[in-house]
């Protein structure tokens, strides 16, 4: 679906508008949409891609803008990168943005080169409840190449979100991005078993900011991550969140624990 030949003021046009439930979108290529590649309003149970039939999103404002789109699954897509996972064609705003959407799954995507400024985080959710972000490459390709997003990696300001998980397949690789790796973690959020500032090959590719930034959200957990090479702190707290648990992380170390690149200019934790 090519939006490049629409009138010059194509910021009004979406590639697809989805306003129905139980819609499935597979194997499409969206390029050049000045507004959303897909705009989903009250589109509950929307499925965008799977492991064998992902979509490609290039040169648009956002790949998906999901509003009140509960139970959405966004899986196996390339956002901001072409088939080779290296050629840039980023979104000008967010890679994926959700508003008032519950129980959203963001799984197994490759997301790079998105955002016109550091204002835009690659994955951004607000005012929702429950979500799972796992198995994604955000700012780094599976081969370890820097495809950093201009802004941060993940900012899911919704309650009960899980970023990563206990298994290796759940791990997100969040590296090379222009701001914090993870920020705006909602109440009861969990960040588990991710590589933040580290490539899949275990080499340093830091985010330009803090690895995990927690602010004014209670009962978070940061568990068994590798957080290294980021230009600011490994983990930071703002506005005194309550009851945060931090267990088993490698902060400032590589996964093999043989090197200690640290975080920040003075190797801050």
């Amino acid at each position: 679906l090519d939006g490049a030949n629409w009138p010059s003021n194509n910021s009004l046009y979406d590639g697809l508008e989805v306003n129905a439930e139980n819609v499935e979108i597979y194997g499409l290529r969206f390029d050049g949409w000045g507004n959303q590649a897909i705009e989903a309003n009250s589109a509950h149970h929307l499925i965008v891609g799977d492991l064998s039939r992902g979509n490609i999103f290039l040169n648009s404002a956002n790949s998906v803008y999901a509003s009140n789109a509960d139970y959405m699954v966004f899986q196996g897509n390339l956002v901001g990168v072409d088939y080779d996972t290296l050629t840039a064609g980023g979104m000008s705003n967010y890679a994926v943005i959700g508003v008032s959407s519950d129980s959203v799954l963001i799984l197994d995507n490759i997301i790079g080169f998105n955002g016109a400024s550091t204002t835009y985080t690659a994955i951004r959710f607000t005012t929702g409840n429950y979500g799972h972000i796992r198995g994604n490459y955000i700012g780094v390709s599976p081969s370890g190449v820097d495809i950093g997003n201009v802004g941060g990696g993940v900012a899911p300001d919704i309650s009960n979100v899980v970023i990563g998980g206990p298994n290796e397949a759940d791990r997100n690789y969040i590296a090379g991005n222009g701001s914090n790796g993870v920020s705006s973690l909602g109440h009861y959020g969990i960040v588990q078993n991710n590589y933040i500032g580290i490539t899949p090959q275990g080499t340093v590719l830091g985010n330009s900011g803090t690895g995990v930034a927690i602010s004014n959200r209670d009962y978070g957990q940061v568990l068994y991550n590798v957080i290294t090479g980021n230009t600011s702190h490994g983990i930071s707290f703002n506005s005194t969140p309550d009851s945060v648990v931090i267990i088993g992380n490698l902060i400032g170390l590589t996964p093999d624990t043989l090197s200690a690149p640290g975080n920040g200019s003075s190797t801050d934790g």
Side-chain angles (χ1 to χ4, degrees):
L1 299 178
D2 187 354
N5 293 321
W6 282 79
S8 57
N9 186 18
N10 72 342
S11 62
L12 302 176
Y13 301 114
D14 302 318
L16 285 177
E17 292 187 7
V18 181
N19 301 297
E21 297 185 2
N22 300 301
V23 173
E24 301 180 10
I25 302 169
Y26 302 112
L28 297 179
R29 178 188 176 95
F30 297 84
D31 194 352
W33 295 98
N35 204 27
Q36 327 302 337
I38 299 174
E39 183 164 348
N41 294 297
S42 299
H44 304 311
H45 302 280
L46 172 66
I47 298 176
V48 182
D50 63 18
L51 284 176
S52 62
R53 298 173 295 172
N55 304 278
I56 297 176
F57 298 92
L58 300 167
N59 302 306
S60 301
N62 306 291
S63 67
V64 173
Y65 183 98
S67 176
N68 193 28
D70 298 342
Y71 306 103
M72 181 180 78
V73 178
F74 187 85
Q75 184 176 32
N77 302 289
L78 302 177
V79 184
V81 293
D82 214 332
Y83 288 109
D84 60 5
T85 73
L86 300 175
T87 302
M91 306 298 105
S92 59
N93 295 342
Y94 304 95
V96 184
I97 181 168
V99 178
S100 300
S101 297
D102 295 338
S103 301
V104 173
L105 302 180
I106 308 295
L107 314 174
D108 309 303
N109 305 284
I110 301 174
I111 298 173
F113 301 119
N114 298 289
S117 74
T118 55
T119 302
Y120 298 106
T121 305
I123 299 174
R124 176 71 171 138
F125 280 85
T126 63
T127 56
N129 197 13
Y130 297 103
H132 205 153
I133 300 168
R134 68 173 185 255
N136 300 283
Y137 296 85
I138 304 168
V140 61
S141 76
S143 62
V145 174
D146 184 356
I147 56 171
N149 298 284
V150 175
V154 182
D157 194 3
I158 60 176
S159 298
N160 298 291
V161 65
V162 178
I163 302 170
N167 303 309
E168 184 175 350
D170 299 328
R171 178 179 297 148
N172 298 288
Y173 298 92
I174 306 170
N177 299 294
S179 188
N180 298 329
V182 177
S183 60
S184 300
L185 185 69
H187 295 299
Y188 300 97
I190 298 173
V191 182
Q192 183 177 19
N193 193 29
N194 303 284
Y195 279 17
I196 302 172
I198 293 285
T199 72
Q201 292 71 31
T203 58
V204 172
L205 181 61
N207 299 288
S208 295
T210 294
V212 179
I214 299 175
S215 58
N216 197 30
R217 297 292 184 269
D218 301 332
Y219 307 105
Q221 299 181 57
V222 184
L223 311 173
Y224 304 105
N225 304 278
V226 181
I227 306 171
T228 297
N230 304 288
T231 63
S232 187
H233 301 286
I235 301 173
S236 69
F237 301 91
N238 298 304
S239 303
T240 59
D242 294 332
S243 301
V244 175
V245 176
I246 300 174
I247 296 175
N249 301 280
L250 295 179
I251 303 174
L253 297 170
T254 54
D256 59 12
T257 72
L258 298 177
S259 180
N263 292 284
S265 59
S266 59
T267 64
D268 290 337

